[in-house]
């Protein structure tokens, strides 16, 4: 940086702007914020000969006033990194091998002070700053550039958005008093906010500040009339750091389940606060899996590739599912633990699981993707009001696609919108039962979302065509099984 930049730096220091904030206003590179003192020397902003005395940096020994721009935010970040490491909140997630990321809450007043200091430097150094563009690096961005490398060293973990979230809140006691100047600068903005002015968050949001308090919007003379330019501070006026907290990562566990029972719902069946089934597939899985991750069972989120009715079994290789586990105490699932979970579910006698494994959030597209493109395979035992004959069986052996029109079934109309849906049956086969003249077994491959029971009995004409239409005899389902789901996910393990 040239002589002009050094002049700006020295001026900012003279009005009690800390070294980090000086670099913000001089638009330093990201690397400069990793080692502030070395960067200042490299940029020729300070003289290394005067910076060190007896091997110790002079700047570390000189007591400075609180920075007028950041209110002391950058004063003790080294100790903050150590405090995070030693905090009980972070230690709780010691079994998480993933990294960390930060959530920093800063007072809105820092934006106001940034704007005030900008008005000051743009007037004093008009050739160096665009009058319509704030020149500095945002304080939160600078904070992350300074803090994250320190946290990586202290925690010995990488920065990762999939890791433990470290939350550090900051407050400022005089914030409300300073922000009230904004009402006098731009009173029209607050016309509808008077009732909420005692709550800082409601008084003015960060987005509203960035929209309404920019150089090209507000009157600089009004600003100067109601707020100090440059801003001022004193040793007793600084940010206050709140309690450090941490939140574990969200983990996704996938697998396949089989349901052997015809009296078990997939998810808790509760209507108007009354439980209609003792348990469910979801709760059986949660009881075996949640303890490993240190999360209460009721906090897990269950998703699957479709669902079967209470009285329908799910056979074959099973139905793919995912459990979303927020705030997990560990992000690891050793194979022996996964096997133990599978064995624990097996003891229920009603559900089995396999291929239990960790997956990424992006993999959820397999579960939540276009359901209508998936295919499902079923086997049903049907009963007829008349004896099954060869002609009926012949009519039900269809290799070409059958297009159905299904109006929302009466049995689900209380929870589904009234719609007519087009669905496809890709293959249909039937066999007569030797031991019962009024029974037959059908197998069918269908588009996901097809109502199988209604395809069989017609639902009073709401599904057309139906097996009843095809054979000309009243027919109903006695038992239905899901045999396979056309989804090659998650990865097959432990065969």
């Amino acid at each position: 940086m040239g002589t002009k930049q050094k002049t700006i730096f020295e001026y900012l220091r003279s009005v009690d702007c800390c070294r980090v904030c000086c670099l913000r206003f001089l638009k330093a590179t990201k690397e400069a914020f990793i080692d502030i003192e070395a960067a200042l020397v490299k940029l020729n902003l300070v003289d290394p000969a005067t910076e060190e005395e007896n091997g110790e940096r002079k700047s570390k020994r000189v007591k400075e006033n609180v920075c007028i721009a950041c209110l002391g935010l950058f004063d003790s970040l080294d100790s903050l990194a150590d405090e995070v490491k030693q905090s009980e909140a972070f230690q709780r997630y010691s079994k998480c091998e993933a990294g960390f990321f930060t959530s920093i809450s800063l007072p809105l007043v820092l934006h106001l002070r940034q704007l005030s200091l900008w008005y000051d430097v743009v007037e004093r150094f008009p050739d160096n700053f665009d009058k319509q563009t704030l020149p500095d690096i945002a304080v939160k961005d600078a904070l992350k550039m300074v803090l994250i490398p320190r946290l990586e060293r202290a925690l010995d973990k990488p920065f990762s958005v999939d890791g433990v979230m470290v939350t550090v809140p900051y407050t400022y006691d005089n914030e409300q008093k300073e922000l009230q100047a904004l009402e006098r600068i731009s009173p029209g903005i607050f016309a509808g906010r008077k009732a909420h002015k005692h709550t800082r968050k409601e008084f003015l949001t960060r987005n509203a500040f960035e929209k309404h308090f920019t150089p090209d919007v507000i009157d600089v003379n009004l600003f100067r009339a109601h707020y100090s330019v440059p801003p001022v501070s004193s040793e007793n006026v600084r940010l206050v750091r709140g309690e450090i907290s941490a939140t574990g990562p969200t983990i996704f566990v996938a697998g396949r389940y089989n349901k052997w029972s015809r009296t078990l719902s997939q998810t808790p069946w509760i209507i108007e606060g009354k439980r209609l089934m003792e348990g469910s597939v979801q709760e059986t899985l949660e009881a075996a899996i949640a303890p490993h991750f240190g999360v209460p069972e009721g906090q897990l989120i269950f998703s699957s590739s479709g669902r079967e009715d209470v009285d329908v079994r799910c056979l074959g290789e099973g139905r793919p599912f995912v459990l979303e586990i927020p705030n997990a105490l560990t992000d690891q699932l050793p194979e022996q633990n996964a096997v133990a979970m599978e064995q624990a579910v097996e003891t229920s006698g009603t559900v089995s699981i396999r291929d239990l494994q960790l997956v990424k959030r992006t993999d959820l597209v397999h579960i939540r993707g276009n359901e209508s493109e998936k295919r499902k395979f079923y086997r049903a035992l049907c009963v007829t009001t008349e004896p099954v004959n060869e002609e009926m069986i012949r009519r039900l052996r269809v290799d070409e696609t059958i297009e159905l029109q299904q109006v929302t079934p009466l049995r689900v109309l209380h929870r589904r919108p009234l719609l007519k849906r087009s669905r496809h049956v890709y293959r249909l086969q039937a066999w007569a039962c030797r031991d019962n003249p009024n029974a037959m077994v059908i197998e069918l491959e269908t588009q996901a979302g097809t109502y199988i029971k209604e395809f069989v009995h017609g639902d009073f004409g709401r599904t057309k065509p139906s097996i009843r239409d095809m054979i000309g005899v009243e027919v109903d389902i006695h038992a239905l099984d899901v045999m396979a789901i056309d989804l090659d996910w998650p990865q097959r393990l432990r065969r």
Side-chain angles (χ1 to χ4, degrees):
M1 292 188 179
T3 304
K4 196 66 174 179
Q5 282 73 22
K6 185 171 184 179
T7 302
I8 296 171
F9 172 77
E10 291 175 346
Y11 170 72
L12 289 172
R13 294 291 289 148
S14 73
V15 294
D16 292 333
C17 190
C18 73
R19 297 184 170 209
V20 178
C21 287
C22 288
L23 288 176
R24 288 172 51 213
F25 269 75
L26 293 172
K27 284 194 172 181
T29 63
K30 179 179 179 180
E31 290 71 23
F33 291 94
I34 296 176
D35 188 336
I36 304 297
E37 304 304 328
L40 293 173
V41 171
K42 183 177 180 181
L43 296 171
N44 296 317
L45 296 175
V46 296
D47 184 351
T50 60
E51 280 296 295
E52 293 199 10
E53 185 177 306
N54 298 326
E56 183 180 1
R57 282 179 177 161
K58 184 179 179 182
S59 60
K60 294 291 185 181
R61 305 196 317 272
V62 176
K63 187 176 180 62
E64 298 181 349
N65 290 332
V66 177
C67 175
I68 60 172
C70 72
L71 294 171
L73 176 65
F74 295 102
D75 284 353
S76 56
L77 294 187
D78 283 325
S79 63
L80 172 58
D82 292 333
E83 288 180 45
V84 169
K85 179 180 180 179
Q86 297 167 11
S87 69
E88 183 178 342
F90 189 80
Q91 289 297 320
R92 175 176 168 81
Y93 302 100
S94 59
K95 294 182 179 180
C96 288
E97 293 186 8
F100 70 93
F101 67 102
T102 57
S103 174
I104 310 293
S105 174
L106 297 177
L108 188 60
V109 73
L110 296 186
H111 286 258
L112 176 59
R113 286 175 166 266
Q114 163 188 303
L115 184 59
S116 172
L117 189 53
W118 177 84
Y119 276 130
D120 186 39
V121 296
V122 80
E123 180 180 280
R124 292 176 183 274
F125 309 99
D127 296 334
N128 293 78
F129 299 109
D130 181 349
K131 292 185 178 180
Q132 299 300 318
T133 305
L134 293 177
D136 67 325
I137 296 171
V139 64
K140 183 172 284 190
D141 292 338
L143 176 61
K144 289 181 178 180
M145 286 187 273
V146 173
L147 180 60
I148 287 174
R150 287 166 168 75
L151 282 171
E152 287 181 323
R153 290 193 296 270
L155 304 178
D156 195 24
K157 290 180 179 291
F159 181 84
S160 169
V161 294
D162 295 320
V164 177
M165 180 174 73
V166 177
T167 300
V168 184
Y170 286 88
T171 58
Y172 178 53
D173 290 343
N174 287 359
E175 180 174 38
Q176 189 62 43
K177 181 179 178 181
E178 287 194 31
L179 290 180
Q180 285 175 353
L182 298 175
E183 285 190 281
R184 297 185 290 273
I185 296 168
S186 296
I189 296 172
F190 298 90
R193 300 174 181 263
K194 294 293 185 181
H196 307 295
K197 69 179 182 179
H198 297 297
T199 304
R200 181 191 64 82
K201 186 175 180 180
E202 295 177 328
F203 173 75
L204 188 69
T205 65
R206 194 172 308 279
N207 287 340
F209 185 96
E210 293 173 352
K211 176 181 178 181
H212 297 293
F213 291 92
T214 59
D216 58 338
V217 174
I218 62 175
D219 184 326
V220 62
N221 294 320
L222 269 177
F223 188 93
R224 287 178 168 276
H226 297 291
Y227 194 77
S228 175
V229 177
V232 295
S233 61
S234 66
E235 179 59 33
N236 297 323
V237 180
R238 63 172 59 239
L239 296 186
V240 176
R241 195 181 75 218
E243 183 178 358
I244 297 169
S245 61
T247 304
T250 296
I251 303 301
F252 299 91
V253 176
R256 293 178 175 84
Y257 76 80
N258 291 111
K259 181 167 85 77
W260 312 115
S261 171
R262 296 195 188 277
T263 58
L264 185 69
S265 59
Q266 187 195 59
T267 55
W269 194 359
I270 301 172
I271 298 178
E272 296 181 352
K274 183 177 181 180
R275 177 180 281 271
L276 301 185
M277 288 281 174
E278 283 298 320
S280 65
V281 173
Q282 175 181 334
E283 291 165 304
T284 303
L285 270 55
E286 288 179 343
I289 295 172
H292 172 75
F293 295 97
V295 178
E297 295 173 23
Q299 293 184 11
L300 278 63
I301 301 170
F302 177 86
S303 302
S304 64
S305 180
R307 60 186 301 139
E308 66 283 321
D309 290 338
V310 170
D311 59 348
V312 176
R313 297 185 302 180
C314 184
L315 309 180
E317 291 195 337
R319 187 183 297 277
F321 72 89
V322 172
L323 280 172
E324 180 178 338
I325 308 172
N327 199 17
L329 295 187
T330 178
D331 56 358
Q332 302 300 304
L333 180 56
E335 183 177 4
Q336 65 269 24
N337 294 82
V339 170
M341 293 173 187
E342 294 173 355
Q343 293 172 344
V345 171
E346 187 74 29
T347 63
S348 69
T350 57
V351 182
S352 298
I353 57 174
R354 56 181 296 172
D355 304 326
L356 205 62
Q357 59 196 272
L358 296 179
V359 296
K360 297 179 180 179
R361 182 186 294 271
T362 52
D363 289 331
L364 268 61
V365 66
H366 298 290
I367 290 287
R368 299 172 180 173
N370 192 344
E371 188 70 15
S372 64
E373 295 180 359
K374 298 173 184 175
R375 296 190 178 198
K376 307 293 175 69
F377 301 83
Y378 298 90
R379 178 182 294 159
L381 176 62
C382 301
V383 293
T384 57
T385 56
E386 298 179 15
V388 176
N389 55 48
E390 291 184 8
E391 179 61 18
M392 292 181 188
I393 297 300
R394 185 188 66 79
R395 292 179 181 179
L396 296 181
R397 289 182 174 176
V398 183
D399 290 326
E400 64 268 15
T401 298
I402 304 170
E403 183 173 353
L404 309 181
Q405 297 299 321
Q406 291 196 306
V407 178
T408 303
L410 294 172
R411 64 186 173 92
V412 300
L413 199 53
H414 65 286
R415 57 184 173 87
R416 297 284 174 86
L418 179 60
L419 296 172
K420 178 183 285 189
R421 300 171 177 85
S422 176
R423 293 290 184 264
H424 295 91
V425 176
Y426 302 108
R427 187 180 64 86
L428 176 62
Q429 295 290 306
W431 295 268
C433 292
R434 180 178 301 174
D435 298 332
N436 187 334
N438 287 64
M440 61 181 171
V441 173
I442 65 169
E443 289 186 352
L444 59 164
E445 175 185 347
T446 75
Q447 179 182 3
T450 303
Y451 291 104
I452 306 302
K453 294 176 180 177
E454 284 66 29
F455 171 57
V456 171
H457 58 63
D459 197 25
F460 302 100
R462 297 167 71 86
T463 291
K464 287 187 175 295
S466 65
I467 288 180
R468 175 178 177 172
D469 295 334
M470 296 168 71
I471 64 175
V473 173
E474 289 188 16
V475 59
D476 204 351
I477 282 187
H478 179 73
L480 177 63
D481 293 330
V482 179
M483 302 304 297
I485 290 144
D486 185 24
L487 177 58
D488 189 21
W489 183 88
Q491 179 183 359
R492 285 167 171 77
L493 307 172
R494 300 182 287 277
R495 286 189 175 275

